[in-house]
Amino acid sequence: MSLIEQTENAGVVQLTLNRPEALNALNSELIVALGSALESLEARDDLRGVLLTGAGEKAFVAGADIAEMRDKTPEQARYFANQALVALKRLETLPVPTVALVNGYALGGGCELSLACDWAIATDNAFFAQPEVGLGIIPGFGGTQRLPRRVGPAMALDLITTGRRIDANEALRVGLVNRVVSLDERDATIDELTKQLSRNGPNAMRDAKRAIHDGQDLALDSALALETTLFALGFTGEEQREGMSAFLEKRKASF
Ligand code: DAK
């Protein structure tokens, strides 16, 4: 049984964290497996998108593995932290759209894993929390940085210092996820998303992601200049011509 199950449809890869007996809690082995799955995806020019989800109906990821973490020495904790940092960086910098399908508990490192994706969909049984302070630690998978960027510093402080759990609808209200679907709609949602990501211009999707991500760290004028450059570059390849020709010829574009 593989810790990361990988399936694929039309260039859209679904990665499923597969450790349901521990509610997909992130131990070193699972983090390393995720990192290497992402590393092999990085190299693929034909990749259109990545969907990340958890095995079973109960949990996306119930956090870092507490049993494994408890007895770590500081050196081991640093090694673990580095492995995690590398895996999450790989996820965040994948050039294609990445979507977390949060299908149950997303606690601690699980919530942070969903934040390392571009955006998230929750099923209606999902719960989110950053309960680390209750364990005597602070979030270590980027929660103190990515959460405030997603939901604002006040809401991030609320969630991190209280450790309270919020349900899918509150997660939607605060902007932690973009959509909530019922558990029954999960497969149809995946199919629809796969269709959308596989029929759009792959280079255009990559350039749009790059403009948004890189633009966040720039002043507005520089960010707009980046957009202009990427827009113009889009006219150097086949993709723009095919997309526009298909519209004018009343047919579906073939990218
Ligand atoms: N770690 C290890 N095992 C876990 C786990 C976890 N986080 N969560 C659940 N499990 C295991 C349970 O121990 C149980 O195992 P058995 O007893 O069957 O062997 C099995 O999964 C089923 O869980 P429960 O029996 O507890 O199931 P319930 O439905 O009763 O409760 C629950 C579900 C999700 C409410 C509960 O399991 C729970 O509260 N789990 C812990 C949630 C939590 O506190 N998560 C945050 C962990 S702290 C770092 C980066 C990040 C982090 C740390 C360092 N660095 C970069 C260094 C992140 C920290 C965290 O995520």
Side-chain angles (χ1 to χ4, degrees), residues 21-23 25 58 62-67 69 77 80-81 84 105 107-109 112 131-132 135 137 140-141 165:
E21 69 285 0
L23 303 184
K58 203 168 162 186
D65 190 305
I66 299 170
M69 256 191 315
F80 177 61
Y105 292 112
L107 308 179
E112 293 167 295
E132 287 87 347
L135 295 166
I137 57 175
F141 281 149
R165 251 184 232 171

Side-chain angles (χ1 to χ4, degrees), residues 2-80:
S2 174
L3 280 172
I4 301 287
E5 274 185 0
Q6 185 167 330
T7 56
E8 179 163 350
N9 187 356
V12 178
V13 166
Q14 183 178 325
L15 297 177
T16 304
L17 291 109
N18 187 25
R19 209 185 154 222
E21 69 285 0
L23 303 184
N24 306 317
L26 299 167
N27 60 7
S28 304
E29 231 188 319
L30 185 50
I31 285 172
V32 168
L34 177 63
S36 43
L38 292 166
E39 187 178 11
S40 53
L41 294 179
E42 273 170 0
R44 284 185 46 182
D45 289 340
D46 61 334
L47 191 67
R48 306 276 183 129
V50 172
L51 314 179
L52 188 66
T53 194
E57 296 194 345
K58 203 168 162 186
F60 173 65
V61 167
D65 190 305
I66 299 170
E68 186 189 88
M69 256 191 315
R70 188 189 59 181
D71 298 324
K72 280 194 191 305
T73 63
E75 290 73 25
Q76 290 168 333
R78 176 183 291 276
Y79 187 69
F80 177 61

Side-chain angles (χ1 to χ4, degrees), residues 68-230:
E68 186 189 88
M69 256 191 315
R70 188 189 59 181
D71 298 324
K72 280 194 191 305
T73 63
E75 290 73 25
Q76 290 168 333
R78 176 183 291 276
Y79 187 69
F80 177 61
N82 278 332
Q83 286 175 317
L85 203 71
V86 168
L88 262 73
K89 199 69 205 166
R90 286 194 194 290
L91 177 58
E92 189 164 59
T93 56
L94 270 186
V96 297
T98 54
V99 183
L101 290 154
V102 179
N103 56 314
Y105 292 112
L107 308 179
C111 185
E112 293 167 295
L113 189 60
S114 83
L115 286 164
C117 294
D118 293 330
W119 57 281
I121 298 174
T123 51
D124 53 8
N125 63 331
F127 284 99
F128 296 79
Q130 295 288 166
E132 287 87 347
V133 291
L135 295 166
I137 57 175
I138 68 168
F141 281 149
T144 64
Q145 303 309 312
R146 292 195 183 98
L147 186 60
R149 283 167 170 76
R150 182 79 58 95
V151 303
M155 182 53 69
L157 273 159
D158 171 351
L159 295 173
I160 289 173
T161 58
T162 64
R164 74 187 173 93
R165 251 184 232 171
I166 60 173
D167 65 15
N169 285 322
E170 187 168 359
L172 179 66
R173 192 171 58 70
V174 303
L176 194 48
V177 302
N178 290 18
R179 309 182 200 165
V180 177
V181 299
S182 72
L183 208 47
D184 295 344
E185 292 169 311
R186 178 182 163 188
D187 291 348
T189 303
I190 291 173
D191 289 348
E192 179 63 16
L193 196 53
T194 299
K195 245 186 243 155
Q196 289 163 335
L197 296 179
S198 61
R199 74 174 168 227
N200 290 328
N203 293 323
M205 287 193 300
R206 286 174 181 237
D207 287 348
K209 173 165 176 169
R210 189 174 151 203
I212 291 170
H213 274 247
D214 292 359
Q216 302 285 306
D217 297 327
L218 299 174
L220 183 60
D221 282 349
S222 306
L224 290 169
L226 170 66
E227 183 186 75
T228 303
T229 302
L230 290 169

